[in-house]
Amino acid sequence: MKRILSAAMACAVLLAGCAAPASTSGAPGGTSAVSAPEPTPAPTPSPAPKEVSLEEWRAAMPASAPSFSHESIDLTLDEQVLWPEQVELLIWAWEGTLEEADAAFGLPAGSFSLWEDTYYPPPEGAIAIRAEGYVLPKVPMERVTVDVPWLMYDFGRPNQYDLPADLDEQALCALAAAHYFLYNFNGMHHGFDPCEFDQETYCSTATEGAMYTRYSDLVQFFDCVFTPDNYAGMLGGPLAAGETPDSGLFYQGEGDSICFLAGDRGGNIAYCGTVYSEPALQPDGSLLFWQFSLYLDEDDENFVGWGPGNKYTPVEARATPVRLVPSDNGWRVAEYSLPN
C-alpha cells in the first residue's frame, strides 16, 4: 500500500474536529479536590486491509465494467493557473472547535475564525470556518483514466483524474470511478444518455448505449465503488407507474429499467483546480485525507475570463474530507464531494 502504512498515524489529528474534545473536571480555586482521571490509552491502529487486485475488484462489477489505467505525473495545476504561495482556507462544515482546526491543519493558534456564509449555512452541529495564510500540500500524484467503451455518447466528458499516488491501485481506481460517475451522471449532469422521455411524468429511462440500463447493474456498480450508506442517497427504489421521479435519484422502473428526472447544473467560473493532502491510515482502518478545491477571486478586476494567454493565481482553497473504508473486496468511497 505504498507509504500509507508508514504514515498510519500521521493523519490521526486530521479530522480531530469530528469528535468533541475531552471534558475536564473541577475549576481552579474550587473548594473540593478532584482526582485526576486516569489517562486514556491511545487506540490501537487497525491492521491495514489486505490489498485487493484491480482485476479481482472489477470482477465483482456488472458484466459491463469500466477499465482503468494510471500513470505517475508531476504535481501541476492547469497551464493558466499559477501555484499560490498561500491561500485562504475555507471549511464549510467543521464539527469541532476552532482550536482543533488550527491543530489539524498545522496553523498557529487563533488562525481559524468563523466564516459567515449567508448563502449556504453549515449543517446542524457544524460550523463554517476560515483561515488566512495556508500553504497547500504538495504530494506525489497519479493520473487515472476511466474508460467506458460501450458508452454511445460521451459528450466530451472528462475521464482523467489526478489523485494522491500513495493510494494503492484499487483505491485509486475506486475513487476515480466515484468521481467519473458523480461528475458525469449525478453531479454536473443527472441521468443517462441515450434515454427515452415520458412527457407526462417528465421521467427518462436509460436505453441501450447508456452507461447502465438495468437498475440491478447500477446497484452492483455502486456496491463496488461506494459504501452502502453513501450510495443509498442516490437510489429511489421502485418507481410506481405514472409517478414523477424526484431530482437527484435513480429509480427502478418496469423490467428492471433505470428511471430518473434528468437535470444539469452549472459550474463556478472561478474554480481553477484541485490538490490533496496525503492519505493516512486511521485507527479504525479507514483512509482519510483532504481535497482542496482552488478558486480565483472572480470579483478581482484583473479577472477577465479564461481566454488564451491569461494566467491567474488562486486565492481560496475550500477543503472537503475524502474517506475510504475497507471491505472484503477492496476500498469503498464513504465520503467524497465533487471539487466544483
Side-chain angles (χ1 to χ4, degrees), residues 65-67 147-152:
S67 59
D147 187 26
V148 184
W150 68 92
L151 201 64
M152 181 178 294

Side-chain angles (χ1 to χ4, degrees), residues 117-196:
D117 187 339
T118 56
Y119 293 101
Y120 302 101
E124 184 177 355
I127 55 176
I129 59 176
R130 68 197 313 161
E132 299 283 354
Y134 183 68
V135 177
L136 292 170
K138 294 183 177 182
V139 303
M141 301 294 287
E142 199 87 356
R143 176 163 294 165
V144 185
T145 300
V146 182
D147 187 26
V148 184
W150 68 92
L151 201 64
M152 181 178 294
Y153 306 126
D154 65 14
F155 300 111
R157 292 184 173 109
N159 69 334
Q160 291 187 324
Y161 308 101
D162 297 346
L163 300 170
D166 267 0
L167 297 172
D168 69 32
E169 184 179 44
Q170 185 272 321
L172 274 170
C173 295
L175 188 53
H179 189 124
Y180 176 83
F181 185 87
L182 292 176
Y183 187 96
N184 294 310
F185 306 111
N186 198 44
M188 303 298 287
H189 171 74
H190 177 73
F192 294 117
D193 296 292
C195 63
E196 294 179 349

Side-chain angles (χ1 to χ4, degrees), residues 227-299:
T227 61
D229 286 345
N230 195 345
Y231 71 71
M234 292 184 271
L235 297 177
L239 185 69
E243 182 181 357
T244 298
D246 288 337
S247 61
L249 294 175
F250 294 98
Y251 291 83
Q252 184 178 33
E254 184 179 356
D256 199 28
S257 60
I258 302 173
C259 302
F260 50 89
L261 183 65
D264 294 276
R265 73 168 175 87
N268 188 332
I269 193 173
Y271 169 73
C272 56
T274 304
V275 297
Y276 295 90
S277 65
E278 190 167 350
L281 189 67
Q282 300 300 292
D284 65 357
S286 66
L287 286 172
L288 286 172
F289 50 106
W290 288 95
Q291 174 181 254
F292 299 98
S293 301
L294 307 180
Y295 291 88
L296 311 176
D297 181 1
E298 58 183 314
D299 296 325

Side-chain angles (χ1 to χ4, degrees), residues 65-220:
S67 59
F68 302 87
S69 59
H70 57 94
E71 60 179 336
S72 298
I73 60 167
D74 295 329
L75 174 61
T76 58
L77 298 174
D78 185 271
E79 62 181 10
Q80 292 184 264
V81 181
L82 304 176
W83 191 273
E85 292 185 7
Q86 295 180 339
V87 292
E88 181 181 24
L89 182 59
L90 305 170
I91 305 177
W92 174 67
W94 180 258
E95 296 182 352
T97 65
L98 298 176
E99 293 77 12
E100 289 167 338
D102 292 333
F105 287 89
L107 291 171
S111 293
F112 272 102
S113 61
L114 292 178
W115 168 29
E116 299 296 336
D117 187 339
T118 56
Y119 293 101
Y120 302 101
E124 184 177 355
I127 55 176
I129 59 176
R130 68 197 313 161
E132 299 283 354
Y134 183 68
V135 177
L136 292 170
K138 294 183 177 182
V139 303
M141 301 294 287
E142 199 87 356
R143 176 163 294 165
V144 185
T145 300
V146 182
D147 187 26
V148 184
W150 68 92
L151 201 64
M152 181 178 294
Y153 306 126
D154 65 14
F155 300 111
R157 292 184 173 109
N159 69 334
Q160 291 187 324
Y161 308 101
D162 297 346
L163 300 170
D166 267 0
L167 297 172
D168 69 32
E169 184 179 44
Q170 185 272 321
L172 274 170
C173 295
L175 188 53
H179 189 124
Y180 176 83
F181 185 87
L182 292 176
Y183 187 96
N184 294 310
F185 306 111
N186 198 44
M188 303 298 287
H189 171 74
H190 177 73
F192 294 117
D193 296 292
C195 63
E196 294 179 349
F197 178 67
D198 184 335
Q199 185 70 42
E200 293 186 2
T201 62
Y202 295 98
C203 178
S204 295
T205 302
T207 58
E208 193 67 29
M211 183 174 182
Y212 290 114
T213 60
R214 289 160 41 96
Y215 187 82
S216 56
D217 286 345
L218 179 61
V219 173
Q220 187 178 351

